[in-house]
C-alpha cells in the first residue's frame, strides 16, 4: 500500500451531534466549579478581615471614649435624713421571778419548785399566785416602786404606803394605820391576803412568840413588885388595882408595912419600862412580807412571757418572767448613731412578719452605755429586789457585753399584741426640711476656690451655667439647696452630677 493510502485511512470520521452536546455540558460544569470556589474564597477573606485585628488596632479601640455630662433633675419636696436600724418590741415593764432569798421554811435545803400554775401567755391579775417554791408563795401586787426589802411591822416609808394601797385595792382594809406605817391594820390586811391565796404568812419575829411572852411576864413581875412595895400596879399609881391583863400578886401580908417610898418609886419605874418593852414587842410581832414572795407590777393584767422552772426541779434560776404595760420598741445605739438621735424624733416601725407599719417617737436615749441584759428591762426592774432577778429575762450575766446606748420608742397608737417580741425595722427621721425645698444629689454640689458653693445647671441645648447656692439638710444622698439669686434655680432644671461616655443616657 502506498503512503497516500495510509494517510487517508487515519483521518477520523466526523463527530456526530450527540458527541458535541456532551462536551459542552462538561465544559459548563468546570466553569461553574471554578467560579463557586472563587466566591467562597472571597467571602472567607472578608470574614477574616473583620475578625482578625492587629495589636495596634486593638490598642486604638481600647482607648477612653469621649466624655459627656451626667445630669439629674432638681426636685421640690420635703427632704428627711433617716437612720435605719433594728429593734425589739417589748413590754414597758419586764420582771424575772427567781427564788433568790426565798425563805424555805424549816431546814436549810435547796429551794425546789413545788407549784407552777401558769403557762406562757397566761394573763395575770393583781393578787394572783404566780408560783410556789419550797411551799412558799410568790404573788403579784400592784405598784411601781421596787420591792427592795422585807416589810415588817413597825416599818415606815413609801414602799409601806404602796403595800397598803395594793392591799386596799384587793379589798383588805388597813384600819386606822397612818399612811406609810406598818401598824395593826396593815398586819390584819396582809394576813388576810395570805389567807386568800391559801398560805400562812411568815412571822416577823421568828422565835415562836417567846419574845412577846417574855415581855408580858416582865410586866406581870413589875406589877407584883409595885404591889409588894405598897403601891398600885394598875393603870395609874394609887388606884390599888392591878394592870389590865396582869395576874394579881400576893401583896403584902397582914401587919406588914407598906415599904419605903424609894422602893415604891423604883418598882413603878421598872413597871413603866416593862410596859414600854411590851408595847414594842407587840408592835414587832405579826406577819411580814418577804421581798422574795412579792412581785410589784405597774399595770394589770400582765402576761407570762416565759416559764423556766419545772415542778420538782431545783429553783436555781429564773422561774418565770412577767411583762406588763404598753408595748414599746427598744434598740441599742452605737456611738455614731447616738450623736444623731434624740428624744422627740419621728420613727416608722415596720413589722415584716405582720406586714404593717406604725408610727411613733423616740421617748428616751440613755446617757450611759448598757451592759448585757434582757430586752424590756428598765432600771426599776433591775432593782426589784431578791424576788425579781436583776439579771434580766434573757439569762444574761448583767454586766458582760456592751450593748450600747438604750433607746426607747413609744408608738403613737398602741401596738397590736401580735407585735410583742418581734424584731422590727426602725426608720428614724433624724433631720428634715421645714416644708418643701429644692433638692439635688449631693454630687451636684461643689465648692469653688473662692469658697462659694455652686451647682452647674445645663439647658436643653447643652449650655451650662454655674448657680451659687446655700445648702441645708442632707440625707439619703440628697441635699436641700437654695439659690443665692432668687429664681436662678427651679424644680425641673437639670444639674450636672458627673461625667458619662458620649451617647450614654443622661
Amino acid at each position: 500500500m502506498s503512503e497516500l493510502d495510509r494517510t487517508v485511512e487515519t483521518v477520523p470520521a466526523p463527530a456526530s451531534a450527540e458527541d458535541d452536546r456532551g462536551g459542552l455540558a462538561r465544559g459548563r460544569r468546570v466553569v461553574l466549579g471554578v467560579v463557586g470556589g472563587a466566591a467562597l474564597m472571597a467571602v472567607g477573606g472578608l470574614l477574616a478581615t473583620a475578625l482578625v485585628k492587629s495589636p495596634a488596632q486593638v490598642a486604638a479601640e481600647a482607648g477612653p471614649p469621649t466624655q459627656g455630662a451626667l445630669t439629674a433633675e432638681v426636685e421640690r419636696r420635703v427632704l428627711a435624713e433617716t437612720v435605719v436600724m433594728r429593734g425589739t418590741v417589748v413590754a414597758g415593764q419586764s420582771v424575772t421571778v427567781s427564788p433568790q432569798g426565798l425563805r424555805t421554811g424549816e431546814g436549810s435545803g435547796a429551794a425546789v419548785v413545788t407549784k407552777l400554775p401558769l403557762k406562757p401567755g397566761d394573763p395575770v391579775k393583781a393578787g394572783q399566785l404566780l408560783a410556789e417554791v419550797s411551799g412558799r408563795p410568790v404573788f403579784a401586787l400592784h405598784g411601781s416602786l421596787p420591792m427592795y426589802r422585807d416589810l415588817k411591822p413597825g416599818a415606815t416609808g413609801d414602799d409601806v404606803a404602796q403595800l397598803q394601797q395594793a392591799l386596799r385595792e384587793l379589798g383588805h382594809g388597813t384600819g386606822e394605820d397612818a399612811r406609810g406605817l406598818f401598824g395593826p391594820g396593815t398586819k390584819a390586811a396582809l394576813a388576810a391576803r395570805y389567807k386568800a391565796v391559801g398560805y400562812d404568812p411568815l412571822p416577823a419575829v421568828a422565835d415562836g412568840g417567846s419574845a412577846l411572852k417574855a415581855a408580858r411576864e416582865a410586866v406581870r413581875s413589875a406589877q407584883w413588885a409595885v404591889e409588894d412595895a405598897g403601891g398600885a400596879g394598875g393603870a395609874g399609881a394609887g388606884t390599888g388595882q392591878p394592870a389590865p391583863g396582869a395576874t394579881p400578886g400576893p401583896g403584902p401580908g397582914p401587919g406588914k408595912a407598906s415599904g419605903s417610898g424609894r422602893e415604891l418609886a423604883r418598882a413603878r419605874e421598872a413597871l413603866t419600862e416593862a410596859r414600854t418593852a411590851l408595847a414594842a414587842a407587840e408592835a414587832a410581832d405579826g406577819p411580814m412580807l418577804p421581798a422574795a414572795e412579792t412581785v410589784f407590777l405597774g399595770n394589770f393584767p400582765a402576761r407570762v412571757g416565759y416559764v423556766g422552772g419545772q415542778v420538782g426541779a431545783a429553783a436555781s434560776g429564773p422561774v418565770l418572767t412577767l411583762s406588763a404595760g404598753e408595748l414599746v420598741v427598744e434598740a441599742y445605739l452605737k456611738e455614731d448613731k447616738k450623736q444623731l438621735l434624740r428624744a422627740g424624733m419621728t420613727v416608722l416601725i415596720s413589722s415584716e412578719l405582720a406586714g404593717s407599719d406604725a408610727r411613733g417617737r423616740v421617748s428616751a436615749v440613755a446617757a450611759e452605755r448598757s451592759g448585757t441584759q434582757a430586752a424590756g428591762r428598765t432600771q426599776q426592774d433591775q432593782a426589784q429586789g431578791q424576788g425579781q432577778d436583776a439579771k434580766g429575762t434573757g439569762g444574761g450575766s448583767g454586766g458582760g457585753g456592751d450593748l450600747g446606748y438604750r433607746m426607747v420608742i413609744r408608738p403613737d397608737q398602741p401596738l397590736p399584741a401580735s407585735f410583742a417580741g418581734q424584731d422590727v425595722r426602725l426608720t428614724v427621721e433624724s433631720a428634715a426640711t421645714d416644708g418643701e425645698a429644692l433638692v439635688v444629689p449631693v454630687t451636684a454640689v461643689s465648692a469653688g476656690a473662692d469658697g462659694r458653693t455652686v451647682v452647674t445647671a445645663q439647658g436643653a441645648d447643652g449650655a451650662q451655667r454655674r448657680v451659687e447656692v446655700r445648702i441645708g439638710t442632707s440625707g439619703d444622698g440628697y441635699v436641700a439647696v437654695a439659690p443665692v439669686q432668687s429664681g436662678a434655680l427651679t424644680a425641673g432644671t437639670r444639674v450636672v452630677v458627673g461625667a458619662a461616655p458620649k451617647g450614654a443616657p443622661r
Side-chain angles (χ1 to χ4, degrees):
M1 179 179 293
S2 65
E3 187 68 27
L4 180 60
D5 293 334
R6 288 196 295 271
T7 301
V8 172
E9 290 177 357
T10 58
V11 175
S16 66
E18 291 181 357
D19 292 339
D20 291 340
R21 287 194 295 269
L24 290 173
R26 284 193 296 272
R28 291 192 189 97
R29 284 196 293 269
V30 171
V31 172
L32 289 175
V34 171
V35 173
L40 289 175
M41 292 178 66
V43 172
L46 292 174
L47 292 176
T49 302
L51 297 178
V52 178
K53 300 179 180 180
S54 67
Q57 185 178 359
V58 172
E61 293 179 354
T66 305
Q67 298 291 310
L70 184 64
T71 62
E73 189 175 279
V74 178
E75 303 176 51
R76 178 175 290 278
R77 60 182 172 88
V78 174
L79 177 62
E81 181 179 2
T82 59
V83 178
V84 180
M85 67 192 71
R86 307 298 299 185
T88 304
V89 180
V90 298
Q93 183 183 19
S94 182
V95 175
T96 300
V97 180
S98 75
Q100 296 179 10
L102 194 71
R103 299 188 182 185
T104 58
E106 298 181 359
S108 57
V112 176
V113 179
T114 50
K115 185 181 292 186
L116 278 175
L118 301 173
K119 62 182 183 297
D122 283 353
V124 176
K125 60 183 180 180
Q128 184 173 345
L129 179 70
L130 304 175
E132 180 187 275
V133 179
S134 296
R136 295 304 305 166
V138 180
F139 54 89
L141 292 177
H142 180 218
S144 58
L145 295 177
M147 185 71 174
Y148 63 92
R149 61 169 177 164
D150 296 342
L151 295 182
K152 300 180 180 181
T156 60
D158 290 340
D159 51 351
V160 176
Q162 175 178 264
L163 172 62
Q164 292 172 324
Q165 179 62 30
L167 292 172
R168 286 193 293 268
E169 291 175 359
L170 294 172
H172 308 303
T174 56
E176 298 181 356
D177 286 357
R179 182 184 182 278
L181 173 62
F182 199 136
T186 307
K187 293 182 192 179
L190 182 60
R193 171 68 345 220
Y194 270 93
K195 183 178 180 180
V197 295
Y199 295 86
D200 292 328
L202 291 176
V205 182
D207 61 355
S210 60
L212 183 61
K213 182 179 179 181
R216 287 172 177 166
E217 289 293 338
V219 170
R220 183 163 55 246
S221 298
Q223 289 172 336
W224 289 344
V226 170
E227 293 171 3
D228 290 344
T239 62
Q241 299 296 326
T247 303
K256 289 185 179 180
S258 60
S260 67
R262 179 180 296 177
E263 292 177 350
L264 180 59
R266 289 176 178 176
R268 286 176 175 171
E269 183 179 350
L271 177 58
T272 300
E273 292 176 354
R275 285 173 175 169
T276 301
L278 175 59
E282 289 176 340
D285 185 67
M288 66 172 289
L289 180 63
E293 294 188 4
T294 310
V295 176
F296 278 98
L297 295 173
N299 294 278
F300 286 96
R303 297 175 297 277
V304 178
Y306 168 74
V307 178
Q310 293 183 349
V311 174
S316 57
V319 175
L320 54 85
T321 62
L322 299 174
S323 59
E326 63 175 337
L327 294 177
V328 298
V329 183
E330 183 181 67
Y332 288 90
L333 310 176
K334 298 303 181 184
E335 187 71 38
D336 57 340
K337 289 187 177 179
K338 178 183 179 295
Q339 303 302 322
L340 300 174
L341 306 180
R342 62 183 182 275
M345 289 182 172
T346 302
V347 185
L348 180 65
I349 306 167
S350 303
S351 168
E352 293 92 339
L353 186 61
S356 59
D357 298 333
R359 301 197 72 85
R361 291 187 178 275
V362 177
S363 66
V365 177
E368 298 181 357
R369 306 181 76 92
S370 300
T372 301
Q373 65 182 54
R377 285 187 55 84
T378 63
Q379 295 297 324
Q380 171 182 310
D381 300 331
Q382 296 180 31
Q384 283 284 341
Q386 295 176 338
Q388 289 140 269
D389 184 11
K391 293 181 180 179
T393 59
S397 61
D402 180 11
L403 295 178
Y405 298 91
R406 182 173 181 264
M407 180 178 70
V408 178
I409 297 98
R410 296 192 180 278
D412 295 339
Q413 300 294 330
L415 293 176
S418 59
F419 273 49
Q422 285 191 27
D423 179 74
V424 294
R425 186 178 74 249
L426 304 174
T427 305
V428 187
E429 293 183 2
S430 60
T433 56
D434 295 330
E436 293 185 344
L438 295 178
V439 176
V440 299
V442 293
T443 53
V445 180
S446 61
D450 54 2
R452 296 188 304 167
T453 304
V454 299
V455 297
T456 301
Q458 179 171 292
D461 58 356
Q464 297 181 353
R465 57 188 174 88
R466 290 162 60 87
V467 179
E468 184 179 358
V469 296
R470 290 186 292 269
I471 62 173
T473 301
S474 63
D476 298 335
Y478 287 82
V479 62
V481 296
V484 173
Q485 183 180 353
S486 179
L489 192 67
T490 59
T493 302
R494 302 200 70 84
V495 291
V496 176
V497 296
K502 242 180 188 179
R506 301 187 184 130

